[in-house]
Amino acid sequence: MHRLATSLGVTGAIGNDDSGVWCEAQALAHVLDRFITSITTEAPPLASVVEVVVERIDPIDRETGFHIRETATSAGSASMSIPPDVAACARCLSEIADPADRRFRYPFTCCTECGPRYTVVRSLPYDRERTSLADFPMCTDCVVEYASASDRRHHAQATCCPRCGPRVSLVDGHGVPIDGDPIDTAVVLLQGGSIVAVKGVGGFQLMCRADDDAAVLRLRERKQRDDKPFALLVATTTEACAVADIDVVGSRALDGPETPIVLAPRRTTADVAASVAPDTDLLGVMLPATPLHALLVGAVGCSLVCTSGNRTDEPIAIDDRDALERLGGIADAVLTHDRRIERRADDSVGQSVAGRFQLLRRARGFAPRSVLLRRGGPSVLGVGAELKSTVCLAVGHEAHVSVHLGDLEHPRTVAAFEATIADQISLSRVVPELIVHDLHPEYVSTKFASAQELGPALAAQHHHAHLVSCLAENQHEGQAIGVTFDGLGWGPDGSAWGGEFLVGDATGYRRAAHLAPVAMPGGVAAIRAPWRMAVAHLTAAYGTEFPDIPLLDRHVDDIDAVVGLCSSAISTSSIGRLFDAVAGLCDLADTVTFEGQAAIRLEQAASVAERPYGWGISEDGDALVLDPAPIVRDVVDDLRRGVEVGAIAAAFHNGIAKMIVAVCGQINDDTGLTTVALSGGVFQNRRLVELVVPLLERAGFAVLRHAQVPPNDGGISLGQVAIGRALLGGGVSS
């Protein structure tokens, strides 16, 4: 803004305040008109201009120059618009590679176009004195750059250099300093097959050579992560495309300022150990997020495993003491630095699906960028669900969805969840008028909402929140058909829902169609052992006369006990559990070690099928009931005829896609609705989405999909705040 005003000869002043950026500008009318237009049309790539509000004031005599003022704060609410962390830009990377530059090999090099933001902010408004960079007073050279309007580090709040900024150090797993240049020594250790914990922008990460199977297996054993894939750090886009088949959409995301992990099919020629991603033909690839990452991967000379610095299910470590306590037994060395991380942020993860980039985990680079709501309203806090936890605070027109926190099944994650809520309230300086939580009575987030003293609490049904989340981020007004498929969510009838067609909006919903419920023998045990869900679906499809298939032989000693549990177990209408059952029938997954593992294997196995498996569809009052028993019988028949598992998996996916379109067509006949919102973790399945979206569009439906938040439970909190606002604005039904 300063450079724009100066170039046009505009006089006045500019600064940050609690509601955003303010500017007082004076010039001839036609110049001011151009200035106002250029604020949006000439904004730099990282700028997000939400709104420009213009107020005419009297001219000021003898005003000269255009000045940046110190930030003023007030006791009212703040916009909470902290910019997200941004990956190192090309010019900064060029500087650290230039021996003649004063920032040569300096791992904290940044400018106004890149660098840390969210993870270094202590309070708002965002100025250097309110960040962890305040601990590092700028040297004379940095002060000159910071003050010069023509310099790209003009008012770059995180700017620093080797003379005045943070420094790296290298210690062993006990915290004992290791001699030598920290970065050079870490490179040698990595080249030799060691595991190194590295303090990144939003927390510690664990690294090792990705082409060294022994090193990767050692990391798996120490981190207690049996099968879940690791991400890969590569030096350049060219190297990324050498290991994975990345399309245009994925390349655009990979090269973007957010630098997420991008999932793409592995190339057969990739020099990557099989143990990096043993369960899938997809690799998660990312480029360096910081100059430190660039220096490391560039010097090692091969791709590196780069995974969260934690033990499985714990939040990422962000300070040195915690890192040594939790990672000292995993890493052979710890490459750290003395810049404090104010708040954690894992790496974001996404994939290219049906022409769009779909987030699966929203964290560094994307959060805490707000989701713009169609209209303002009261402040509402949504505390999310249980898995893939996020929280969301709606203030004015903005919904602030937190970074990915993890699963609320570990005390450390619960502590991070509570700290994030306190942080959002502190930064915004608002007390929410309503706290919205999931309907499930045993979720940690539900218990938090019930016990807190911030304000009244409201329970929102899980799949209703999924639907409304998709509507809110697409700014869709009015009702829509919500296809909400996931693993499970608590239904008001006390069963576990998960294969739902809802009709509704933020003010309420009705259940228009759902899968026929089957038993979950053993409850949570059935999630961890998909063969149990296979037995439950066999029982529903065949009664007591089971067909002769290998699964029954493998578990011959346990079948009777599991069948006995079916009569008393909780029932579920979950499509996620149906995926588990079919994977179990096909001998793809007897047991799993992480959520969605069986479904991933089934998706990966799918090849080509000429026909879709069929469903039974009947009516039960006002709802359609979708019976998967015909599918189960088709799968069994094909298995017994020796049909390849790939064709079975493909026919299964085809059948679900055809069923979605058929059911939406019947709902359209009853309601006239032509908008379909796809939400829930099942729509992370790339094959299913790429089948169903064109089918729906050819049938005349407008399809809403997630883009700013994940379709999984990471988007639930956004739907919760929209439901809460609807209640405060005039009633919500369940």
Side-chain angles (χ1 to χ4, degrees):
M1 290 281 281
H2 184 282
R3 287 195 291 271
L4 176 63
T6 303
S7 69
L8 295 175
V10 173
T11 63
I14 191 169
N16 298 319
D17 65 15
D18 292 326
S19 59
V21 178
W22 63 266
C23 176
E24 177 190 292
Q26 181 165 294
L28 295 175
H30 73 279
V31 176
L32 282 178
D33 289 342
R34 181 179 171 189
F35 177 68
I36 293 166
T37 300
S38 298
I39 290 170
T40 300
T41 60
E42 298 182 20
L46 297 181
S48 176
V49 182
V50 174
E51 186 179 23
V52 179
V53 178
V54 179
E55 178 185 349
R56 302 288 176 177
I57 60 174
D58 293 333
I60 301 172
D61 292 339
R62 299 178 182 175
E63 184 175 55
T64 60
F66 191 84
H67 310 283
I68 296 177
R69 302 295 190 201
E70 285 192 18
T71 296
T73 61
S74 68
S77 65
S79 73
M80 214 176 81
S81 294
I82 306 174
D85 301 299
V86 182
C89 69
R91 286 192 284 183
C92 283
L93 291 177
S94 176
E95 288 174 342
I96 67 170
D98 182 1
D101 195 279
R102 74 186 189 93
R103 290 185 171 87
F104 176 57
R105 297 187 77 241
Y106 184 57
F108 305 100
T109 300
C110 66
C111 66
T112 52
E113 297 175 8
C114 67
R117 270 92 161 152
Y118 171 74
T119 56
V120 298
V121 170
R122 288 174 174 163
S123 63
L124 289 176
Y126 172 56
D127 286 306
R128 187 182 181 92
E129 62 268 24
R130 297 180 186 86
T131 72
S132 56
L133 272 299
D135 299 338
F136 305 92
M138 287 185 286
C139 66
T140 303
D141 289 340
C142 285
V143 167
V144 170
E145 292 171 339
Y146 185 87
S148 173
S150 61
D151 197 285
R152 82 174 197 279
R153 293 190 169 92
H154 185 214
H155 279 255
Q157 308 302 343
T159 191
C160 54
C161 75
R163 285 179 57 194
C164 63
R167 290 172 171 79
V168 293
S169 59
L170 185 69
V171 300
D172 65 17
H174 302 287
V176 178
I178 297 175
D179 293 336
D181 178 86
I183 296 176
D184 288 344
T185 306
V187 167
V188 172
L189 289 171
L190 287 166
Q191 288 174 329
S194 294
I195 299 167
V196 178
V198 178
K199 191 175 184 180
V201 66
F204 281 83
Q205 297 164 309
L206 293 164
M207 296 187 186
C208 71
R209 292 184 67 120
D211 61 354
D212 186 339
D213 200 56
V216 178
L217 289 172
R218 191 161 55 249
L219 176 57
R220 284 200 177 280
E221 180 182 4
R222 294 181 185 179
K223 187 176 161 71
Q224 299 170 12
R225 181 163 165 164
D226 297 332
D227 302 308
K228 197 171 184 180
F230 286 135
L232 290 180
L233 173 65
V234 297
T236 65
T237 304
T238 300
E239 292 181 28
C241 292
V243 298
D245 184 11
I246 303 173
D247 65 10
V248 173
V249 172
S251 293
R252 192 180 303 125
L254 190 71
D255 284 328
E258 301 88 357
T259 56
I261 298 168
V262 175
L263 300 181
R266 174 182 179 141
R267 293 193 184 275
T268 56
T269 55
D271 189 12
V272 176
S275 54
V276 169
D279 241 345
T280 172
D281 65 2
L282 299 179
L283 288 177
V285 185
M286 65 176 167
L287 296 180
T290 72
L292 178 58
H293 288 76
L295 291 168
L296 288 171
V297 72
V300 171
C302 69
S303 60
L304 296 172
V305 164
C306 184
T307 187
S308 302
N310 56 8
R311 292 188 185 276
T312 297
D313 297 330
E314 294 182 355
I316 189 171
I318 62 172
D319 65 66
D320 288 20
R321 180 180 297 180
D322 185 32
L324 286 172
E325 177 186 331
R326 291 200 279 147
L327 307 181
I330 301 176
D332 301 303
V334 180
L335 183 61
T336 185
H337 57 75
D338 54 356
R339 187 183 73 203
R340 178 179 169 82
I341 298 174
E342 298 297 331
R343 48 185 60 80
R344 61 175 45 83
D346 245 313
D347 295 313
S348 294
V349 182
Q351 61 182 349
S352 172
V353 183
R356 287 193 197 174
F357 189 69
Q358 178 192 65
L359 280 172
L360 306 180
R361 182 170 74 191
R362 185 179 189 267
R364 177 190 53 75
F366 293 93
R369 188 185 301 151
S370 62
V371 176
L372 188 63
L373 302 174
R374 192 175 179 91
R375 59 175 59 87
S379 296
V380 176
L381 175 68
V383 296
E386 185 85 349
L387 304 181
K388 298 177 174 61
S389 171
T390 64
V391 298
C392 179
L393 182 62
V395 181
H397 284 78
E398 297 177 316
H400 300 276
V401 183
S402 74
V403 297
H404 165 86
L405 299 173
D407 298 346
L408 298 182
E409 298 174 334
H410 194 284
R412 291 182 187 271
T413 310
V414 175
F417 161 81
E418 294 177 349
T420 300
I421 291 172
D423 185 50
Q424 286 195 332
I425 292 172
S426 174
L427 288 172
S428 64
R429 297 200 293 277
V430 301
V431 177
E433 296 180 35
L434 185 66
I435 317 298
V436 188
H437 60 86
D438 196 90
L439 191 61
H440 199 301
E442 295 302 316
Y443 281 177
V444 170
S445 53
T446 298
K447 293 178 179 179
F448 169 87
S450 301
Q452 52 77 34
E453 298 179 354
L454 295 168
L458 170 72
Q461 200 280 323
H462 189 90
H463 300 92
H464 184 208
H466 266 309
L467 163 61
V468 177
S469 173
C470 192
L471 299 182
E473 74 159 285
N474 285 281
Q475 294 193 342
H476 178 79
E477 291 253 304
Q479 292 196 333
I481 302 168
V483 186
T484 52
F485 289 178
D486 62 6
L488 66 86
W490 201 253
D493 59 359
S495 69
W497 289 12
E500 313 304 318
F501 290 80
L502 307 181
V503 170
D505 56 18
T507 65
Y509 73 95
R510 72 175 178 88
R511 195 183 192 193
H514 60 86
L515 259 67
V518 299
M520 279 181 62
V524 173
I527 299 174
R528 297 171 180 159
W531 74 269
R532 287 175 173 249
M533 286 308 308
V535 171
H537 275 280
L538 286 171
T539 302
Y542 290 97
T544 58
E545 299 297 324
F546 282 5
D548 183 16
I549 55 174
L551 178 140
L552 302 179
D553 294 333
R554 292 197 305 273
H555 298 282
V556 63
D557 295 333
D558 302 311
I559 294 295
D560 289 344
V562 172
V563 171
L565 288 172
C566 288
S567 61
S568 58
I570 186 174
S571 63
T572 181
S573 60
S574 167
I575 275 199
R577 301 286 77 84
L578 178 60
F579 269 87
D580 289 352
V582 174
L585 288 170
C586 293
D587 196 19
L588 293 173
D590 263 10
T591 60
V592 296
T593 61
F594 63 90
E595 187 199 14
Q597 186 176 14
I600 290 170
R601 289 179 177 175
L602 190 64
E603 179 188 1
Q604 295 294 309
S607 55
V608 178
E610 295 182 359
R611 65 186 177 98
Y613 288 147
W615 292 73
I617 301 180
S618 60
E619 292 187 9
D620 181 12
D622 294 332
L624 298 173
V625 178
L626 316 169
D627 186 4
I631 286 180
V632 174
R633 290 192 286 268
D634 281 345
V635 169
V636 169
D637 288 345
D638 280 352
L639 285 170
R640 298 180 72 180
R641 290 191 298 111
V643 175
E644 291 185 354
V645 167
I648 293 172
F652 174 70
H653 282 80
N654 291 352
I656 292 178
K658 294 280 190 180
M659 176 271 288
I660 290 172
V661 178
V663 173
C664 287
Q666 291 194 46
I667 295 174
N668 167 261
D669 291 341
D670 294 337
T671 65
L673 293 172
T674 57
T675 300
V676 176
L678 305 179
S679 190
V682 168
F683 290 108
Q684 295 177 144
N685 184 310
R686 181 186 310 189
R687 186 182 187 94
L688 179 61
V689 173
E690 292 183 342
L691 283 170
V692 78
V693 167
L695 288 175
L696 283 169
E697 290 176 342
R698 284 200 293 270
F701 290 102
V703 182
L704 304 181
R705 294 157 56 196
H706 288 281
Q708 299 179 70
V709 298
N712 59 45
D713 285 5
I716 284 282
S717 60
L718 173 62
Q720 289 173 340
V721 300
I723 292 170
R725 279 194 165 180
L727 171 68
L728 295 177
V732 61
S733 64
S734 59

